[in-house]
Amino acid sequence: MTMLTIDPAPRALGASDILVSPLAWGMWRFKGSVANGRTLVEAALDAGITLFDTADIYGTDTPAGFGSAEALFGDVLAEAPQLRDRMVIATKGGIRPGNPYRSDAPYLRQAVDDSLARMRIERIDLYQIHRRDFLTHPQEVAASLTRMVADGKVRAVGVSNHSPAEVNALQAFLDHPIVSTQPEFSPLHTAPLYDGTLDQAMARGMTVLGWSPLGGGRLTDGSHPAGALLAEQGARFGVDAATAALSWSMVHPARIIPIVGSQTPDRIRAAADAVQVGWTHAEWYAVLQAGMGAGLP
């Protein structure tokens, strides 16, 4: 019986020389004290996670407001600067409450400077356009990204929530590759399987960073048919449904890197066991169909 398995070794971030772990840790719910923040960051590093994903808009729904997740991350790094050398930092810009999307040159120039200042770092490893700004030509966006790299503020560039056509339009004006794309992906959100997102990533050698890999937590509920199958699969390998859900994404040939959003050290550590879970084709497709609520043709 053929078993799909996960390579636990670090891999290149797209066509860059940046090595990242097969899991990422996301900070869209990162808030609270510096001490608590440091505990979470260190839990991720201790679990072997080296890719940290944030965005300037994270924290907008908290009293601390826009930019607060980056600022808290910066406080952690200021308190423990030795952690910086152990991680790859990714952030995103392009969403502003009330706008809602901005990617014009003046805006991105200020956005990247603000992100650097909040995190108190000299260079961002991966800068991503968070969502497409329909009112800015991709040539202007490409020029801004090129300038960030040329100025030494950014090592590599990527996109988030972009369609394959939007990726193609931006890449057409860039001299260097888009190294990553960040779609929502889970058994409950399977659009990237069908809309060309994963196919384009494999064809171009782009890294796929999958957000909401647990379907907003619904896949940890055994009452959901997909959640029940994931719990069964996890039990075979000594892990829970959440960890099995991460592995479900990771065995896809696009080598998807799920972004773990847990704010609990034990859950972050448990996520690292996803690399131990194997899948047969039949098991993987059973979860897919349960998630879609329909059989495949």
Side-chain angles (χ1 to χ4, degrees):
M1 182 184 299
T2 302
M3 184 71 70
L4 304 170
T5 59
I6 301 164
D7 183 357
R11 75 278 301 268
L13 183 63
S16 75
D17 60 356
I18 303 171
L19 293 179
V20 295
S21 54
L23 285 165
W25 185 60
M27 287 176 269
W28 61 86
R29 292 183 291 161
F30 193 50
K31 60 183 179 180
S33 68
V34 177
N36 181 66
R38 181 173 174 178
T39 296
L40 296 174
V41 168
E42 291 181 336
L45 288 169
D46 291 345
I49 297 174
T50 61
L51 179 56
F52 288 72
D53 181 77
T54 188
D56 56 11
I57 196 173
Y58 291 169
T60 299
D61 58 348
T62 70
F66 184 91
S68 60
E70 285 185 332
L72 177 57
F73 191 34
D75 290 340
V76 170
L77 294 177
E79 181 178 276
Q82 71 277 8
L83 299 179
R84 176 65 179 101
D85 292 338
R86 299 172 58 191
M87 60 179 62
V88 173
I89 296 177
T91 194
K92 298 178 286 291
I95 301 179
R96 190 83 188 196
N99 258 342
Y101 308 142
R102 287 285 299 273
S103 291
D104 53 275
Y107 183 87
L108 286 182
R109 182 166 54 249
Q110 188 64 53
V112 73
D113 286 345
D114 289 346
S115 288
L116 286 165
R118 281 189 291 263
M119 292 188 286
R120 302 189 229 181
I121 58 177
E122 295 182 354
R123 186 164 63 163
I124 295 164
D125 297 305
L126 174 65
Y127 192 80
Q128 303 155 95
I129 301 299
H130 206 156
R131 287 187 182 272
R132 165 79 183 278
D133 174 5
F134 304 116
L135 298 179
T136 301
H137 196 288
Q139 186 173 24
E140 183 176 349
V141 180
S144 296
L145 294 172
T146 298
R147 190 173 302 110
M148 293 177 194
V149 175
D151 291 345
K153 297 177 180 180
V154 167
R155 291 179 67 185
V157 299
V159 296
S160 174
N161 302 300
H162 277 53
S163 71
E166 290 168 340
V167 171
N168 286 338
L170 181 58
Q171 185 65 76
F173 298 102
L174 275 169
D175 293 332
H176 45 80
I178 297 170
V179 304
S180 66
T181 185
Q182 187 174 144
E184 180 180 1
F185 183 66
S186 76
L188 301 183
H189 190 89
T190 60
L193 291 171
Y194 297 96
D195 65 12
T197 296
L198 300 185
D199 295 310
Q200 179 187 60
M202 290 186 286
R204 289 183 175 271
M206 299 162 59
T207 292
V208 179
L209 307 176
W211 64 270
S212 197
L214 304 184
R218 289 175 292 164
L219 292 172
T220 63
D221 185 350
S223 66
H224 191 287
L229 289 176
L230 288 167
E232 292 175 9
Q233 185 71 9
R236 297 186 186 104
F237 292 86
V239 303
D240 60 14
T243 303
L246 299 175
S247 71
W248 185 87
S249 293
M250 296 166 77
V251 296
H252 187 278
R255 303 183 77 198
I256 296 165
I257 296 178
I259 303 174
V260 178
S262 176
Q263 300 296 295
T264 304
D266 287 345
R267 283 295 325 139
I268 295 171
R269 285 187 283 265
D273 291 334
V275 298
Q276 301 175 14
V277 181
W279 293 82
T280 66
H281 280 68
E283 291 164 346
W284 193 91
Y285 277 110
V287 172
L288 174 65
Q289 293 174 95
M292 295 190 305
L296 293 170

